[in-house]
Amino acid sequence: MMPFLLALLLSAVFAFGQTRVSLKAQLTADERIVAEEIRLKAQPDNPEVQASLASAFIQKVRETTDFAYLNRASVLVDRMLAADPQNYDGIRLSAEIETHRHNFPHAAELAARLLQRNPSDSGAMGMLGDCLMEMGQYDKAGKMYERMLASSPNLASYNRIAYQQFVSGESEKSIDWMGMAIQSGGVTPENLAWCLVEFGDMLFKTGRTADAHAAYLQAIEALPGYHRAYAALGREAAATGKFEEAEVDFMKAQAVIPLPEYAGSLEAIYTKLGDKAKSLEQRNLVDVIDKLARVNGEKGNRMIALVYANENREPQRAMAWMEGELDTRKDVYTYDALSWVLFRAGKQHEAETASRTALAMHTPEPMFLYHAGVIALAGGKNQDGRDLLKQALALNPEFSYPEAQDARERLN
Amino acid sequence: MTGRIGIFALALPIALAAHPMGNFSVSHYSRLHFKSGAVEVTYVLDLAEIPAFQLLGNWQIDWKNQDDLSAKSTQQAPEWLDNVDLMQAGRRLPLHIQFVQPRATEGAGGLPVLRIAVQASAVVKPGDVTYEDRNFPGRAGWKEIVIDHDSGVAIAKSSQSVTDISKALTVYPTDPGINQPQDLTAQVDGYTVRPVTAPVATSSRHVTELPAPVAPAPVTESRPFSQRSSQGPGAVVRGDFLSKMLQRKQLGGGLLLLGIFAAFGLGAMHALSPGHGKTIVAAYLVGSRGTLKHAGLLGFTVTFTHTFTVFLIGLGTLFFQQYFVAEKVVSVLGTVSGLSIVSVGLFLLYQRSKSLMEGAGVHLHSHEGYFHSHDVQPRRTRIAELRAAESLVDDGLVHSHGGSTHSHVIEGEITPGSLIALGISGGIVPCPSALILMLSAIALGRPAVGLILLVAFSTGLALVLMACGAVAIYAKSLMPRSEGFTRRPLLRLIPVFSAVVVICLGLVMTGVSAGWVQSLRFLS
C-alpha cells in the first residue's frame, strides 16, 4: 500500500509544480487581472504579485490594443525595479514592454541580460529572437528560435520558427510549422487566433485563398471579434473583387481598433464603390491618426508611411515616419515600406537599393515583388520589372487590391 | 505578416496624451438606480479623440457649437439606447429618455473628446432584471456598471455594487491596483418594492449581496468567470434532463428517483467512452489472480474516489474560483492518475518478472514427484496462498495433483494496496459531465441533491468498470486447462505482458494529461 500512496503523493507534487504557471495561463486576461488585483491589495509590495498583474496587463494589451494597460504594467514594473533593480521578473517584463513599444535594441539588450543569468529561459530566448528578427539579424534570430524550440516545443516556439522560415523564403516549411503551432494550442485564445491569422496570411500569399479564408474564420471562432481576422477577411474579399464584403469586414476591424492600414484599405474600397464622402472620411482619419501619433511622441511608423505611399501623398511625412522606424527596425518589411516610400518621393536609386534589401531573403511576399517590379519598371529595367510582377502574380493572382490588378495592367 | 507572438503590430504612443484610456478608446458607464416601480438609467459614453473624430465626421458639425452638439446627441441617443437591453422576464423594457447632456473638450493635438450622458427610465416590476450594453463592441475603454436603489426598494442580489470608481467617467484612476472594470452586462435578482431599513451593502464589484427582507438571499453565485457573460444563472448544464431537474423549484421524491436513474445511466454510458481505465482494469485482472470480489472492491474504490474528487473540485471552484480552474485541476489529476498507474504497472512488472525468472530456475518439477518446488514466490505467506488457492481452483491455469494445487503460469499477487491504488487512479480523474453536474447543483444551492446524483453517476461508472473486470476474469476462465497448454512459454508471459500494457497505458495517460502528447494525434 505504502509504495502506491507515496507514488500518488509524489505524482501530485510533481503535477502541481508543473502546472502552477499553467493555472494562471489558462485564465483570460480579464480574469487574471481581477484575481491578481485582489492579491495585490493583500500584498501590495510583493514583487511576485506585481509581476503577475503586470503580465496580465500586457496580455490585455495584446487582446485589446489598449495601451492604457501597458502604462499600468509599466508603473508596476517601475515599482519592482525601484525596490530591486536586479529583479529578474522586473527585467523580463521591462523587456516585454519595450518590445511592445518597438524599442527593439533595448528590449534585445534586456533579454540578453536575462539569458546570461538564466540560459534556459525560453521566454527570454523568444524575446531576443523577436528583437533580432525586427533588427534584420535573421541568422541569429533563427539560431535563438532553434534554441527556444529545443527548450520549449510549443505554440510560442513553433510560430516563431514559422515566421522565421517564411521570411527566409521557406513557405512550405513555414506553413507546416504554423500548423504545428495551431495544433499545439494556445494558453490564451488570442495566441491561437494570432497564429490562425498568420497561418491564413501565409496560405493567402502563396495562392491558397480558400484555405486562408477557413483559417481566418477559425480565428474569429477562437477569439470572437478579433480585428486582425476581420481585416484579413477584408483584404481577401477586396482582392477577389467582393468590395461590399470587404467594406463590412474592414469596418468590423476598425470598430475595434482604428489602425491606419484599415483606414487606408477602406479609403481604397470606398473609392472603388464610388462613395467619395466615405473615402474622404477615411483619408482624414489617417491624418488624425498621424497627428495623434506625433503628439504622443511616436518617432517611427511604417504603417502610416505605407498608407501615405499607397495613396501617393505626404511624401515628407512618410519619409519622416520611415526614418524613425529605421532607427529601431531593419527587417525586410521595413525595407519594403522604405522602398515604396522612396519611390513615391521620387528617389529612384535609393528605392531600388531598399527594394533589393527587401528581396534579399526571398520572402514569398507578393507585395514585395509588386513594389520591386514597379520600381524596376520605373527605372527602365523592363525585363526585371516584368519578371518581378509575374512572380508576384504567380504566388497569388489576386494577391491584393488594387495592386494585383495594376500588376496585370502593367504586364499587358 | 507583421510579427509574431510577443510583438505587437503597431507602435503606439509611449505616453498617451489627453485621454487616459487611449486615443481610440470608447468608455462606457451605466448606473441602474432602482426606485419604486421604475429604474433610472444613467448612460454615459466617453469617446476619445479618434472615435470622437469619427462621430463628429458623421454628424458633420463643429464640435465647439454646443447647440449643434446637443441636437445631434439628442438625435443619436435613441440609437445608442436601442443597443442597450434592459430585460425582465424575457421582455425588453422600453427606456424613455429624459435628457441628453453632451460635452466636448479639447484633447490631444487639439482634437475634441466627447462625453455624452443620457438619462432614461423604464417601468419595472418586482423580479429579476438583466442589463446589457452592446454599443461599440470590442472597443477598448473603461466599462463600468453601478447598481443602487432607493431606500424604499430592495434587491436580493446584484452582479455589481454601488461603488462608482470613475464617478461617471470623470475620473480614471491609473493606479494599477485599482481594477479597470470591463462590465457590459449586469444582473439584478429579487427586485422588490417593500420598504427596507438596512443600508445598501457595498461589497465586491462582481457579486454583491444586498439586503432582502422579503425573500431569503440565494447562495452566492458560483459561476466561473468564463461563463458569466454567456449563460444565465444556473445554466451550467444546458438542456439536459438533470440540469432542468436541478433548476426546478420543487423536487419530489419521484423526480429525484428518476434523476438518480438518469445519473446512473449517464455514468454507465460515460464509462463506455474511451479513457476510463477499462483496459487497465482488464489487463490487471487478467495478469493477476483476480476474482469477482476484487473487481467489486475495485468498483467501490472508483466510485468513492470519483465522488470525493468531484465534490472537492466543486467546492474548490465555489470558494476559490479566482485562483482555481477546474479544467486545469482535471488535467493535473489526470497526470497524477497516469503516474500512479505507471507505478502500479512497474510494481507488477517487477513482481511478475521476478516470479518468471525464479520460476524458470526453480519451477523445474516433475509431476511424477522427482522435483517439486512451490517456492516460486517466496514472499507469499502460506495463509495467503491457501486463500488464493481456494479462489483460483476455477481458474483454467491452475490444476491439482496429489492434493496440492499450483499453477504453471506466473501470476501477480492481488494486494489491497495495488487494488486500491488502481481504483483511486481510475476514479481520481473526474468526468467533465459529473463535474458540471456538481457545479450546477452547487450554483443552484442544491449541493445535497448534487451529491446524491453524483454518487449515482459514479456508481454507474464503476459498474461498467467492474463489468469489464468480470468479463476479463470470465474470458480467462475460458482458456484451456490442460497442463501442456498452461506450460507454454507464451502463456507464462501473459502476466508480464499485461503489466507492460498497464505501464504503457499509464504513460499515455500521463502524457495526454500533462499535455506532452496530443490525444487526437496519438489516437490517429
Side-chain angles (χ1 to χ4, degrees), chain A residues 37 65 69 72 102 134 160 163 183 198 205 255 296 298, chain B residues 1 4-6 8 11 23-24 139 173 178-180 225 521:
Chain A
E37 276 174 340
T65 328
Y69 286 102
R72 282 167 178 256
H102 286 198
E134 298 302 322
R160 284 177 161 92
Y163 177 62
Q183 276 197 342
E198 293 290 301
K205 286 167 185 174
N296 291 327
E298 204 177 335
Chain B
M1 193 72 54
R4 65 240 125 257
I5 298 296
F8 189 67
N23 299 134
F24 58 87
R139 183 65 75 100
I178 296 175
N179 182 31
Q180 179 181 320
F225 281 100
R521 192 182 289 178

PDB file of all heavy atoms in Angstrom, chain A residues 37 65 69 72 102 134 160 163 183 198 205 255 296 298, chain B residues 1 4-6 8 11 23-24 139 173 178-180 225 521:
ATOM      1  N   GLU A  37      -5.301  41.547  -8.959  1.00  0.00           N
ATOM      2  CA  GLU A  37      -5.544  42.798  -8.244  1.00  0.00           C
ATOM      3  C   GLU A  37      -6.000  42.537  -6.808  1.00  0.00           C
ATOM      4  O   GLU A  37      -5.633  43.274  -5.891  1.00  0.00           O
ATOM      5  CB  GLU A  37      -6.558  43.648  -9.000  1.00  0.00           C
ATOM      6  CG  GLU A  37      -5.879  44.451 -10.093  1.00  0.00           C
ATOM      7  CD  GLU A  37      -6.842  45.210 -10.971  1.00  0.00           C
ATOM      8  OE1 GLU A  37      -8.029  44.848 -10.997  1.00  0.00           O
ATOM      9  OE2 GLU A  37      -6.411  46.138 -11.649  1.00  0.00           O
ATOM     10  N   THR A  65      -5.371  45.996 -27.667  1.00  0.00           N
ATOM     11  CA  THR A  65      -4.577  47.083 -28.210  1.00  0.00           C
ATOM     12  C   THR A  65      -4.756  48.348 -27.359  1.00  0.00           C
ATOM     13  O   THR A  65      -4.485  49.452 -27.832  1.00  0.00           O
ATOM     14  CB  THR A  65      -4.966  47.385 -29.669  1.00  0.00           C
ATOM     15  OG1 THR A  65      -5.377  46.191 -30.277  1.00  0.00           O
ATOM     16  CG2 THR A  65      -3.805  47.941 -30.452  1.00  0.00           C
ATOM     17  N   TYR A  69      -3.292  49.853 -20.600  1.00  0.00           N
ATOM     18  CA  TYR A  69      -2.843  48.703 -19.808  1.00  0.00           C
ATOM     19  C   TYR A  69      -1.323  48.592 -19.799  1.00  0.00           C
ATOM     20  O   TYR A  69      -0.736  48.141 -18.826  1.00  0.00           O
ATOM     21  CB  TYR A  69      -3.459  47.405 -20.348  1.00  0.00           C
ATOM     22  CG  TYR A  69      -4.919  47.250 -20.027  1.00  0.00           C
ATOM     23  CD1 TYR A  69      -5.891  47.508 -20.980  1.00  0.00           C
ATOM     24  CD2 TYR A  69      -5.336  46.841 -18.769  1.00  0.00           C
ATOM     25  CE1 TYR A  69      -7.244  47.366 -20.692  1.00  0.00           C
ATOM     26  CE2 TYR A  69      -6.672  46.697 -18.461  1.00  0.00           C
ATOM     27  CZ  TYR A  69      -7.626  46.962 -19.426  1.00  0.00           C
ATOM     28  OH  TYR A  69      -8.949  46.821 -19.127  1.00  0.00           O
ATOM     29  N   ARG A  72      -0.104  50.839 -17.236  1.00  0.00           N
ATOM     30  CA  ARG A  72      -0.306  50.279 -15.897  1.00  0.00           C
ATOM     31  C   ARG A  72       0.780  49.244 -15.583  1.00  0.00           C
ATOM     32  O   ARG A  72       1.319  49.204 -14.482  1.00  0.00           O
ATOM     33  CB  ARG A  72      -1.677  49.606 -15.820  1.00  0.00           C
ATOM     34  CG  ARG A  72      -2.805  50.582 -15.668  1.00  0.00           C
ATOM     35  CD  ARG A  72      -4.155  49.929 -15.918  1.00  0.00           C
ATOM     36  NE  ARG A  72      -5.197  50.913 -15.718  1.00  0.00           N
ATOM     37  CZ  ARG A  72      -5.987  50.980 -14.649  1.00  0.00           C
ATOM     38  NH1 ARG A  72      -5.875  50.072 -13.707  1.00  0.00           N
ATOM     39  NH2 ARG A  72      -6.888  51.915 -14.525  1.00  0.00           N
ATOM     40  N   HIS A 102       8.138  48.822 -29.407  1.00  0.00           N
ATOM     41  CA  HIS A 102       9.001  48.702 -30.589  1.00  0.00           C
ATOM     42  C   HIS A 102      10.394  49.280 -30.366  1.00  0.00           C
ATOM     43  O   HIS A 102      11.054  49.680 -31.318  1.00  0.00           O
ATOM     44  CB  HIS A 102       8.333  49.347 -31.817  1.00  0.00           C
ATOM     45  CG  HIS A 102       7.207  48.511 -32.344  1.00  0.00           C
ATOM     46  ND1 HIS A 102       6.695  48.662 -33.606  1.00  0.00           N
ATOM     47  CD2 HIS A 102       6.506  47.524 -31.779  1.00  0.00           C
ATOM     48  CE1 HIS A 102       5.708  47.798 -33.787  1.00  0.00           C
ATOM     49  NE2 HIS A 102       5.584  47.099 -32.683  1.00  0.00           N
ATOM     50  N   GLU A 134      13.333  41.667 -35.897  1.00  0.00           N
ATOM     51  CA  GLU A 134      12.941  43.038 -36.235  1.00  0.00           C
ATOM     52  C   GLU A 134      14.154  43.872 -36.631  1.00  0.00           C
ATOM     53  O   GLU A 134      14.026  44.824 -37.386  1.00  0.00           O
ATOM     54  CB  GLU A 134      12.225  43.698 -35.055  1.00  0.00           C
ATOM     55  CG  GLU A 134      10.928  43.023 -34.651  1.00  0.00           C
ATOM     56  CD  GLU A 134       9.913  42.948 -35.777  1.00  0.00           C
ATOM     57  OE1 GLU A 134       9.812  43.920 -36.558  1.00  0.00           O
ATOM     58  OE2 GLU A 134       9.228  41.910 -35.879  1.00  0.00           O
ATOM     59  N   ARG A 160       7.136  31.070 -33.969  1.00  0.00           N
ATOM     60  CA  ARG A 160       8.299  31.921 -34.243  1.00  0.00           C
ATOM     61  C   ARG A 160       9.167  31.303 -35.348  1.00  0.00           C
ATOM     62  O   ARG A 160       9.611  31.991 -36.257  1.00  0.00           O
ATOM     63  CB  ARG A 160       9.117  32.109 -32.969  1.00  0.00           C
ATOM     64  CG  ARG A 160       8.491  33.092 -32.007  1.00  0.00           C
ATOM     65  CD  ARG A 160       9.307  33.193 -30.731  1.00  0.00           C
ATOM     66  NE  ARG A 160       9.020  34.400 -29.988  1.00  0.00           N
ATOM     67  CZ  ARG A 160       8.106  34.491 -29.029  1.00  0.00           C
ATOM     68  NH1 ARG A 160       7.379  33.444 -28.732  1.00  0.00           N
ATOM     69  NH2 ARG A 160       7.917  35.622 -28.386  1.00  0.00           N
ATOM     70  N   TYR A 163       7.507  31.899 -38.646  1.00  0.00           N
ATOM     71  CA  TYR A 163       7.705  33.254 -39.168  1.00  0.00           C
ATOM     72  C   TYR A 163       9.110  33.403 -39.745  1.00  0.00           C
ATOM     73  O   TYR A 163       9.303  33.949 -40.836  1.00  0.00           O
ATOM     74  CB  TYR A 163       7.473  34.261 -38.046  1.00  0.00           C
ATOM     75  CG  TYR A 163       7.728  35.688 -38.452  1.00  0.00           C
ATOM     76  CD1 TYR A 163       6.983  36.295 -39.462  1.00  0.00           C
ATOM     77  CD2 TYR A 163       8.721  36.448 -37.830  1.00  0.00           C
ATOM     78  CE1 TYR A 163       7.217  37.602 -39.835  1.00  0.00           C
ATOM     79  CE2 TYR A 163       8.957  37.756 -38.201  1.00  0.00           C
ATOM     80  CZ  TYR A 163       8.215  38.332 -39.198  1.00  0.00           C
ATOM     81  OH  TYR A 163       8.459  39.622 -39.573  1.00  0.00           O
ATOM     82  N   GLN A 183      -1.922  23.410 -33.883  1.00  0.00           N
ATOM     83  CA  GLN A 183      -2.289  22.111 -33.294  1.00  0.00           C
ATOM     84  C   GLN A 183      -1.918  22.028 -31.823  1.00  0.00           C
ATOM     85  O   GLN A 183      -2.629  21.416 -31.028  1.00  0.00           O
ATOM     86  CB  GLN A 183      -1.595  20.986 -34.050  1.00  0.00           C
ATOM     87  CG  GLN A 183      -2.359  20.578 -35.300  1.00  0.00           C
ATOM     88  CD  GLN A 183      -1.902  19.232 -35.802  1.00  0.00           C
ATOM     89  OE1 GLN A 183      -0.832  18.749 -35.443  1.00  0.00           O
ATOM     90  NE2 GLN A 183      -2.710  18.620 -36.643  1.00  0.00           N
ATOM     91  N   GLU A 198      -1.982  34.405 -38.931  1.00  0.00           N
ATOM     92  CA  GLU A 198      -0.680  34.288 -39.595  1.00  0.00           C
ATOM     93  C   GLU A 198      -0.670  33.117 -40.578  1.00  0.00           C
ATOM     94  O   GLU A 198      -0.156  33.219 -41.686  1.00  0.00           O
ATOM     95  CB  GLU A 198       0.423  34.093 -38.550  1.00  0.00           C
ATOM     96  CG  GLU A 198       0.657  35.281 -37.666  1.00  0.00           C
ATOM     97  CD  GLU A 198       1.300  36.447 -38.401  1.00  0.00           C
ATOM     98  OE1 GLU A 198       2.395  36.287 -38.937  1.00  0.00           O
ATOM     99  OE2 GLU A 198       0.672  37.526 -38.444  1.00  0.00           O
ATOM    100  N   LYS A 205      -0.987  34.383 -49.249  1.00  0.00           N
ATOM    101  CA  LYS A 205       0.113  34.952 -50.030  1.00  0.00           C
ATOM    102  C   LYS A 205       0.690  33.941 -51.010  1.00  0.00           C
ATOM    103  O   LYS A 205       1.338  34.316 -51.983  1.00  0.00           O
ATOM    104  CB  LYS A 205       1.212  35.453 -49.099  1.00  0.00           C
ATOM    105  CG  LYS A 205       0.816  36.738 -48.389  1.00  0.00           C
ATOM    106  CD  LYS A 205       1.759  37.048 -47.250  1.00  0.00           C
ATOM    107  CE  LYS A 205       1.274  38.269 -46.491  1.00  0.00           C
ATOM    108  NZ  LYS A 205       2.068  38.529 -45.294  1.00  0.00           N
ATOM    109  N   ALA A 255     -13.887  49.058 -36.081  1.00  0.00           N
ATOM    110  CA  ALA A 255     -14.708  49.322 -34.888  1.00  0.00           C
ATOM    111  C   ALA A 255     -13.970  48.920 -33.625  1.00  0.00           C
ATOM    112  O   ALA A 255     -14.195  49.479 -32.566  1.00  0.00           O
ATOM    113  CB  ALA A 255     -16.023  48.560 -34.980  1.00  0.00           C
ATOM    114  N   ASN A 296       1.819  62.243 -29.477  1.00  0.00           N
ATOM    115  CA  ASN A 296       2.176  61.299 -28.417  1.00  0.00           C
ATOM    116  C   ASN A 296       3.653  60.926 -28.409  1.00  0.00           C
ATOM    117  O   ASN A 296       4.067  60.054 -27.652  1.00  0.00           O
ATOM    118  CB  ASN A 296       1.324  60.036 -28.534  1.00  0.00           C
ATOM    119  CG  ASN A 296      -0.119  60.317 -28.200  1.00  0.00           C
ATOM    120  OD1 ASN A 296      -0.415  61.167 -27.364  1.00  0.00           O
ATOM    121  ND2 ASN A 296      -1.030  59.642 -28.859  1.00  0.00           N
ATOM    122  N   GLU A 298       5.528  59.607 -30.855  1.00  0.00           N
ATOM    123  CA  GLU A 298       5.964  58.454 -31.632  1.00  0.00           C
ATOM    124  C   GLU A 298       6.953  58.913 -32.706  1.00  0.00           C
ATOM    125  O   GLU A 298       6.759  59.960 -33.320  1.00  0.00           O
ATOM    126  CB  GLU A 298       4.742  57.801 -32.289  1.00  0.00           C
ATOM    127  CG  GLU A 298       4.950  56.348 -32.606  1.00  0.00           C
ATOM    128  CD  GLU A 298       3.672  55.721 -33.183  1.00  0.00           C
ATOM    129  OE1 GLU A 298       2.576  56.239 -32.905  1.00  0.00           O
ATOM    130  OE2 GLU A 298       3.803  54.748 -33.906  1.00  0.00           O
TER     131      GLU A 298
ATOM    132  N   MET B   1       1.937  39.941 -42.810  1.00  0.00           N
ATOM    133  CA  MET B   1       2.902  39.401 -41.850  1.00  0.00           C
ATOM    134  C   MET B   1       3.525  40.557 -41.089  1.00  0.00           C
ATOM    135  O   MET B   1       4.276  41.333 -41.634  1.00  0.00           O
ATOM    136  CB  MET B   1       3.960  38.634 -42.638  1.00  0.00           C
ATOM    137  CG  MET B   1       4.840  37.776 -41.803  1.00  0.00           C
ATOM    138  SD  MET B   1       4.061  36.316 -41.147  1.00  0.00           S
ATOM    139  CE  MET B   1       3.430  35.577 -42.614  1.00  0.00           C
ATOM    140  N   ARG B   4       5.087  38.367 -34.652  1.00  0.00           N
ATOM    141  CA  ARG B   4       4.603  37.110 -34.094  1.00  0.00           C
ATOM    142  C   ARG B   4       4.250  37.298 -32.641  1.00  0.00           C
ATOM    143  O   ARG B   4       4.253  38.420 -32.148  1.00  0.00           O
ATOM    144  CB  ARG B   4       5.644  36.029 -34.333  1.00  0.00           C
ATOM    145  CG  ARG B   4       6.953  36.124 -33.681  1.00  0.00           C
ATOM    146  CD  ARG B   4       8.140  36.192 -34.630  1.00  0.00           C
ATOM    147  NE  ARG B   4       8.868  37.388 -34.247  1.00  0.00           N
ATOM    148  CZ  ARG B   4       8.819  38.502 -34.915  1.00  0.00           C
ATOM    149  NH1 ARG B   4       8.130  38.583 -36.019  1.00  0.00           N
ATOM    150  NH2 ARG B   4       9.437  39.560 -34.516  1.00  0.00           N
ATOM    151  N   ILE B   5       3.959  36.211 -31.969  1.00  0.00           N
ATOM    152  CA  ILE B   5       3.577  36.297 -30.567  1.00  0.00           C
ATOM    153  C   ILE B   5       4.661  37.060 -29.814  1.00  0.00           C
ATOM    154  O   ILE B   5       5.832  36.736 -29.907  1.00  0.00           O
ATOM    155  CB  ILE B   5       3.449  34.882 -29.980  1.00  0.00           C
ATOM    156  CG1 ILE B   5       2.373  34.108 -30.700  1.00  0.00           C
ATOM    157  CG2 ILE B   5       3.195  34.908 -28.486  1.00  0.00           C
ATOM    158  CD1 ILE B   5       0.989  34.618 -30.572  1.00  0.00           C
ATOM    159  N   GLY B   6       4.244  38.008 -29.086  1.00  0.00           N
ATOM    160  CA  GLY B   6       5.224  38.772 -28.313  1.00  0.00           C
ATOM    161  C   GLY B   6       5.507  40.110 -28.947  1.00  0.00           C
ATOM    162  O   GLY B   6       5.966  41.025 -28.310  1.00  0.00           O
ATOM    163  N   PHE B   8       3.906  43.333 -30.950  1.00  0.00           N
ATOM    164  CA  PHE B   8       2.650  43.957 -31.306  1.00  0.00           C
ATOM    165  C   PHE B   8       2.783  44.606 -32.675  1.00  0.00           C
ATOM    166  O   PHE B   8       3.841  45.008 -33.098  1.00  0.00           O
ATOM    167  CB  PHE B   8       2.264  44.988 -30.240  1.00  0.00           C
ATOM    168  CG  PHE B   8       0.891  45.476 -30.457  1.00  0.00           C
ATOM    169  CD1 PHE B   8      -0.162  44.600 -30.281  1.00  0.00           C
ATOM    170  CD2 PHE B   8       0.653  46.747 -30.902  1.00  0.00           C
ATOM    171  CE1 PHE B   8      -1.439  45.019 -30.526  1.00  0.00           C
ATOM    172  CE2 PHE B   8      -0.617  47.169 -31.146  1.00  0.00           C
ATOM    173  CZ  PHE B   8      -1.671  46.311 -30.961  1.00  0.00           C
ATOM    174  N   ALA B  11       3.333  50.313 -33.414  1.00  0.00           N
ATOM    175  CA  ALA B  11       3.998  51.069 -32.360  1.00  0.00           C
ATOM    176  C   ALA B  11       3.068  52.185 -31.944  1.00  0.00           C
ATOM    177  O   ALA B  11       2.881  53.152 -32.663  1.00  0.00           O
ATOM    178  CB  ALA B  11       5.300  51.640 -32.881  1.00  0.00           C
ATOM    179  N   ASN B  23      -6.175  57.002 -27.168  1.00  0.00           N
ATOM    180  CA  ASN B  23      -6.806  57.892 -28.140  1.00  0.00           C
ATOM    181  C   ASN B  23      -7.956  57.260 -28.923  1.00  0.00           C
ATOM    182  O   ASN B  23      -8.732  57.963 -29.555  1.00  0.00           O
ATOM    183  CB  ASN B  23      -5.752  58.399 -29.136  1.00  0.00           C
ATOM    184  CG  ASN B  23      -4.646  59.177 -28.460  1.00  0.00           C
ATOM    185  OD1 ASN B  23      -3.474  58.985 -28.728  1.00  0.00           O
ATOM    186  ND2 ASN B  23      -5.026  60.058 -27.546  1.00  0.00           N
ATOM    187  N   PHE B  24      -8.027  55.951 -28.953  1.00  0.00           N
ATOM    188  CA  PHE B  24      -9.116  55.335 -29.735  1.00  0.00           C
ATOM    189  C   PHE B  24     -10.159  54.667 -28.838  1.00  0.00           C
ATOM    190  O   PHE B  24     -11.007  53.925 -29.296  1.00  0.00           O
ATOM    191  CB  PHE B  24      -8.561  54.332 -30.746  1.00  0.00           C
ATOM    192  CG  PHE B  24      -7.766  53.228 -30.119  1.00  0.00           C
ATOM    193  CD1 PHE B  24      -8.399  52.091 -29.667  1.00  0.00           C
ATOM    194  CD2 PHE B  24      -6.402  53.319 -30.001  1.00  0.00           C
ATOM    195  CE1 PHE B  24      -7.685  51.066 -29.077  1.00  0.00           C
ATOM    196  CE2 PHE B  24      -5.677  52.304 -29.414  1.00  0.00           C
ATOM    197  CZ  PHE B  24      -6.313  51.176 -28.955  1.00  0.00           C
ATOM    198  N   ARG B 139     -14.431  47.483 -28.524  1.00  0.00           N
ATOM    199  CA  ARG B 139     -13.556  48.664 -28.462  1.00  0.00           C
ATOM    200  C   ARG B 139     -12.988  48.813 -27.052  1.00  0.00           C
ATOM    201  O   ARG B 139     -13.698  48.604 -26.062  1.00  0.00           O
ATOM    202  CB  ARG B 139     -14.367  49.896 -28.859  1.00  0.00           C
ATOM    203  CG  ARG B 139     -13.575  51.200 -28.911  1.00  0.00           C
ATOM    204  CD  ARG B 139     -12.510  51.199 -29.988  1.00  0.00           C
ATOM    205  NE  ARG B 139     -13.040  51.351 -31.323  1.00  0.00           N
ATOM    206  CZ  ARG B 139     -13.049  52.492 -32.011  1.00  0.00           C
ATOM    207  NH1 ARG B 139     -12.563  53.590 -31.479  1.00  0.00           N
ATOM    208  NH2 ARG B 139     -13.514  52.536 -33.243  1.00  0.00           N
ATOM    209  N   PRO B 173      -8.870  56.326 -12.502  1.00  0.00           N
ATOM    210  CA  PRO B 173      -7.698  56.021 -11.671  1.00  0.00           C
ATOM    211  C   PRO B 173      -6.655  55.242 -12.475  1.00  0.00           C
ATOM    212  O   PRO B 173      -6.996  54.296 -13.193  1.00  0.00           O
ATOM    213  CB  PRO B 173      -8.272  55.143 -10.554  1.00  0.00           C
ATOM    214  CG  PRO B 173      -9.738  55.376 -10.586  1.00  0.00           C
ATOM    215  CD  PRO B 173     -10.079  55.700 -11.989  1.00  0.00           C
ATOM    216  N   ILE B 178      -5.969  49.468  -8.851  1.00  0.00           N
ATOM    217  CA  ILE B 178      -7.415  49.685  -8.981  1.00  0.00           C
ATOM    218  C   ILE B 178      -7.869  49.090 -10.299  1.00  0.00           C
ATOM    219  O   ILE B 178      -7.389  49.463 -11.366  1.00  0.00           O
ATOM    220  CB  ILE B 178      -7.756  51.190  -8.902  1.00  0.00           C
ATOM    221  CG1 ILE B 178      -7.391  51.722  -7.516  1.00  0.00           C
ATOM    222  CG2 ILE B 178      -9.240  51.423  -9.197  1.00  0.00           C
ATOM    223  CD1 ILE B 178      -7.565  53.214  -7.357  1.00  0.00           C
ATOM    224  N   ASN B 179      -8.768  48.190 -10.178  1.00  0.00           N
ATOM    225  CA  ASN B 179      -9.206  47.461 -11.368  1.00  0.00           C
ATOM    226  C   ASN B 179      -9.893  48.370 -12.369  1.00  0.00           C
ATOM    227  O   ASN B 179     -10.715  49.199 -12.017  1.00  0.00           O
ATOM    228  CB  ASN B 179     -10.162  46.346 -10.933  1.00  0.00           C
ATOM    229  CG  ASN B 179     -10.626  45.518 -12.104  1.00  0.00           C
ATOM    230  OD1 ASN B 179      -9.901  45.351 -13.073  1.00  0.00           O
ATOM    231  ND2 ASN B 179     -11.826  45.013 -12.024  1.00  0.00           N
ATOM    232  N   GLN B 180      -9.536  48.187 -13.640  1.00  0.00           N
ATOM    233  CA  GLN B 180     -10.229  48.886 -14.723  1.00  0.00           C
ATOM    234  C   GLN B 180     -11.398  48.003 -15.130  1.00  0.00           C
ATOM    235  O   GLN B 180     -11.203  46.969 -15.767  1.00  0.00           O
ATOM    236  CB  GLN B 180      -9.268  49.077 -15.893  1.00  0.00           C
ATOM    237  CG  GLN B 180      -9.903  49.759 -17.072  1.00  0.00           C
ATOM    238  CD  GLN B 180      -8.919  49.902 -18.220  1.00  0.00           C
ATOM    239  OE1 GLN B 180      -7.756  50.202 -18.012  1.00  0.00           O
ATOM    240  NE2 GLN B 180      -9.386  49.674 -19.428  1.00  0.00           N
ATOM    241  N   PHE B 225     -15.804  32.586 -14.118  1.00  0.00           N
ATOM    242  CA  PHE B 225     -15.769  33.843 -14.854  1.00  0.00           C
ATOM    243  C   PHE B 225     -16.134  33.640 -16.312  1.00  0.00           C
ATOM    244  O   PHE B 225     -16.846  34.430 -16.903  1.00  0.00           O
ATOM    245  CB  PHE B 225     -14.348  34.428 -14.802  1.00  0.00           C
ATOM    246  CG  PHE B 225     -14.055  35.099 -13.510  1.00  0.00           C
ATOM    247  CD1 PHE B 225     -13.320  34.444 -12.552  1.00  0.00           C
ATOM    248  CD2 PHE B 225     -14.533  36.358 -13.248  1.00  0.00           C
ATOM    249  CE1 PHE B 225     -13.052  35.051 -11.349  1.00  0.00           C
ATOM    250  CE2 PHE B 225     -14.256  36.963 -12.047  1.00  0.00           C
ATOM    251  CZ  PHE B 225     -13.524  36.316 -11.094  1.00  0.00           C
ATOM    252  N   ARG B 521      -3.778  13.147 -31.888  1.00  0.00           N
ATOM    253  CA  ARG B 521      -2.688  12.696 -32.730  1.00  0.00           C
ATOM    254  C   ARG B 521      -2.294  11.275 -32.351  1.00  0.00           C
ATOM    255  O   ARG B 521      -2.017  10.437 -33.177  1.00  0.00           O
ATOM    256  CB  ARG B 521      -1.494  13.635 -32.559  1.00  0.00           C
ATOM    257  CG  ARG B 521      -0.425  13.439 -33.586  1.00  0.00           C
ATOM    258  CD  ARG B 521       0.736  14.353 -33.334  1.00  0.00           C
ATOM    259  NE  ARG B 521       0.398  15.727 -33.629  1.00  0.00           N
ATOM    260  CZ  ARG B 521       1.239  16.726 -33.446  1.00  0.00           C
ATOM    261  NH1 ARG B 521       2.446  16.526 -33.018  1.00  0.00           N
ATOM    262  NH2 ARG B 521       0.879  17.946 -33.707  1.00  0.00           N
TER     263      ARG B 521
END
